[in-house]
Amino acid sequence: MDTEILARIQFAFTVAFHYIYPPLSIGLGVILIIMEGMYLKTKKELYHKMTRFWVKIFALIFGIGVATGIVMEFEFGTNWATYSRYVGDIFGSALAAEGLFAFALESGFLGVLLFGWNRVSPVVHFISTIGVAFGSMFSAVWIVVANSWQQTPAGFKIVGEGLNQKAEITDFWAMVFNPSSVDRLSHVIIGAFLAGAFLVLSVNAYYILKGKFLEIAKPAFKIALVVAMISSLAQLFTGHNSADGVAENQPAKLAAFEGHYPKSEVADLYLFGWVDHKSKEVVGIKIPKGLTFLIHQDFTTPVKGLDAFPEDEIPTQVNAVFQFYHLMVAIGMLLIGLSLFAGFLWWRGKLFQFRWLMWVFVWAVFLPQIANQVGWFAAEMGRQPWVVYGLLKTSDALSQAVTANQVLFSLILFFFVYLLLFLLFIYLLNKKIQHGPYDEKMEDQRPHQTASVPDFN
């Protein structure tokens, strides 16, 4: 493999691994606000125990997330030096804003969240929980803004020539609110809510199946289910808005999403299929003219296809982009169906009567994670060969001094380091889940406080 392919694999690997954790911490942050808010409102001990348990899980995820995110900043300098010089002004301002608005907020309140239970009042602790949760979201805001600028650059000018050419900000807020920022941010944040909700659903479904911590597991499951139902439905709208934005600002990427090649024809919407890039054909199940209708709200307006662009300005891995995009959409629809079905059973008073459904929720924790990952793959591979859309190609963004052997060595090194971190994360997470929200043996020896435990069925 050449240096560019290895550098892209290395960055994709490190980003994908890192991206397991931020969505979980963002989603858990929102659920912690709800849990602790219910404790403040009801003063019921079960909500207090529930919140303290999930704060420990949050801290573990947050710590691993921070550790795995540091590597990427080094990669910008080692493997992507030309890119770093080209977008340094843009990325520098976005990362500075992240440090100012997000990291300061997170770090300022995190200590109180973790260690302030018996040192500050419940209200102050609740404010700290809100601070950490919003800090996690603000962090995502600036990262998504920086990434979105690469997709739809705005508020800048190009200065310099040749290798000294770079982008400089002319309008900071135009850069922040570039054409894709809001749509992509809403889509990413809602995806994070789903990741957090389904983690809580999974762990509590496991407790319910094992008959453990039921007085906490059932209400915690319901809290997460409400978040899952609202988020999964909201994701339908944010996904549609995001696709509309891609159609307007990155038509080649949209054409790759659906394997649409003709220069200007009405376009079908595929439920699933297989793209042959050489023959420029898609084999699969489709809704005739469906893509045209979703974009233009009629069945006659043509959609620009991949043949409308020069061969060297379209993705070479169209089938991969197609598969990632359709897998994301399919999982999104599955999450809606699963959440609403569970909500229906809750309404009928039968939510916890089906063991098979609890097993489904135990394993469903992987679905939002997979959707988030393949969604990013589709977004990033769909804009190739551009690293900054229409301005800088990926092949031109590579460091001139780095060699393929150097990138391969660091890739292997990162693989083993991240593998160790992942095994450590799974070990610690499993240990906390097995211990649970409290020590059941000690609790059984205490007087039973039936007055504080509501009927959840």
Side-chain angles (χ1 to χ4, degrees), residues 300-355:
T300 58
T301 306
V303 176
K304 188 182 286 188
L306 291 170
D307 285 347
F309 302 90
E311 187 69 25
D312 63 345
E313 294 186 7
I314 62 174
T316 54
Q317 301 296 324
V318 178
N319 188 47
V321 175
F322 178 97
Q323 301 303 339
F324 289 141
Y325 176 72
H326 283 76
L327 181 57
M328 177 192 69
V329 174
I331 292 176
M333 301 307 291
L334 181 59
L335 293 176
I336 292 174
L338 181 58
S339 302
L340 293 184
F341 178 65
F344 172 74
L345 291 179
W346 182 5
W347 175 63
R348 296 291 304 272
K350 299 178 179 180
L351 178 58
F352 302 118
Q353 294 183 9
F354 302 99
R355 289 182 62 83

Side-chain angles (χ1 to χ4, degrees), residues 276-288:
D276 187 333
H277 187 52
K278 290 184 178 178
S279 65
K280 302 181 178 180
E281 293 181 350
V282 183
V283 178
I285 302 298
K286 64 184 179 183
I287 300 173

Side-chain angles (χ1 to χ4, degrees), residues 23 26-28 30-31 137 188-198 227-228 231:
I26 293 170
L28 272 183
V30 171
I31 292 177
M137 277 188 264
V188 167
I189 292 294
I190 297 295
F193 290 173
L194 283 168
F198 272 83
V227 176
S231 300

Side-chain angles (χ1 to χ4, degrees), residues 152-218:
T152 52
F156 72 101
K157 65 178 181 181
I158 301 297
V159 298
E161 295 181 356
L163 293 176
N164 294 320
Q165 200 174 61
K166 65 177 184 178
E168 280 188 359
I169 294 177
T170 56
D171 185 337
F172 178 77
W173 293 112
M175 182 276 289
V176 171
F177 292 102
N178 65 73
S180 65
S181 284
V182 174
D183 289 338
R184 299 180 80 247
L185 180 61
S186 60
H187 201 50
V188 167
I189 292 294
I190 297 295
F193 290 173
L194 283 168
F198 272 83
L199 176 63
V200 177
L201 287 167
S202 175
V203 173
N204 287 292
Y206 171 77
Y207 288 150
I208 292 166
L209 285 167
K210 297 295 180 183
K212 301 170 66 176
F213 314 113
L214 292 180
E215 74 279 17
I216 288 179
K218 289 183 177 180

